[in-house]
């Protein structure tokens, strides 16, 4: 039967060594990403820069706006697990 242990983060925040006898249930909160106007939602891990998130979603930074609440985020901003962000397509046009 597996041993039960209390899991506490180390000084670095997440380094834990596991053995074959150890069984852990890890529940992680994920950041909610909402694509507008499509109203499609996905969950992604937080704790990363916006530029890295867009790369993982195969989106080019100049083609979308990334918004948290009422704040427009830049590629260098970091998003957290507890965040809900909106990704909106940039539309441009001209007159004929």
């Amino acid at each position: 039967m597996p041993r039960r242990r209390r899991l506490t983060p180390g000084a670095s925040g997440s380094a834990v060594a596991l053995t074959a006898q150890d069984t852990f249930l890890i529940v992680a909160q994920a950041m909610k990403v909402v694509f507008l106007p499509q109203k499609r939602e996905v969950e992604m891990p937080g704790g990363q820069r916006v530029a890295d998130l867009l790369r993982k979603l195969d989106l080019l930074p100049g083609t979308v706006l990334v918004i948290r609440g009422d704040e427009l985020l830049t590629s260098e901003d970091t998003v957290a697990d507890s965040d809900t962000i909106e990704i909106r397509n940039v539309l441009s046009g001209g007159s004929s």
Side-chain angles (χ1 to χ4, degrees):
M1 173 177 254
R3 293 180 289 159
R4 291 184 180 250
R5 279 194 215 168
R6 183 170 207 169
L7 187 62
T8 56
S12 64
S14 63
V16 176
L18 300 177
T19 67
Q21 293 81 26
D22 294 328
T23 302
F24 295 99
L25 174 63
I26 300 173
V27 178
Q29 182 178 3
M31 171 184 53
K32 184 190 295 186
V33 180
V34 180
F35 293 89
L36 294 174
Q38 302 91 338
K39 296 184 181 175
R40 183 173 61 104
E41 293 184 11
V42 297
E43 290 187 346
M44 298 288 291
Q48 58 185 320
R49 292 179 321 126
V50 169
D52 298 327
L53 172 67
L54 294 178
R55 190 173 311 116
K56 290 176 184 174
L57 293 169
D58 290 326
L59 296 171
L60 296 173
T63 64
V64 294
L65 300 174
V66 181
I67 303 163
R68 177 178 48 210
D70 60 355
E71 176 186 11
L72 181 62
L73 302 179
T74 68
S75 294
E76 298 303 314
D77 287 324
T78 301
V79 290
D81 288 330
S82 60
D83 286 341
T84 296
I85 63 168
E86 296 176 4
I87 296 183
R88 294 180 176 256
N89 292 327
V90 173
L91 301 176
S92 62
S95 59
S96 46

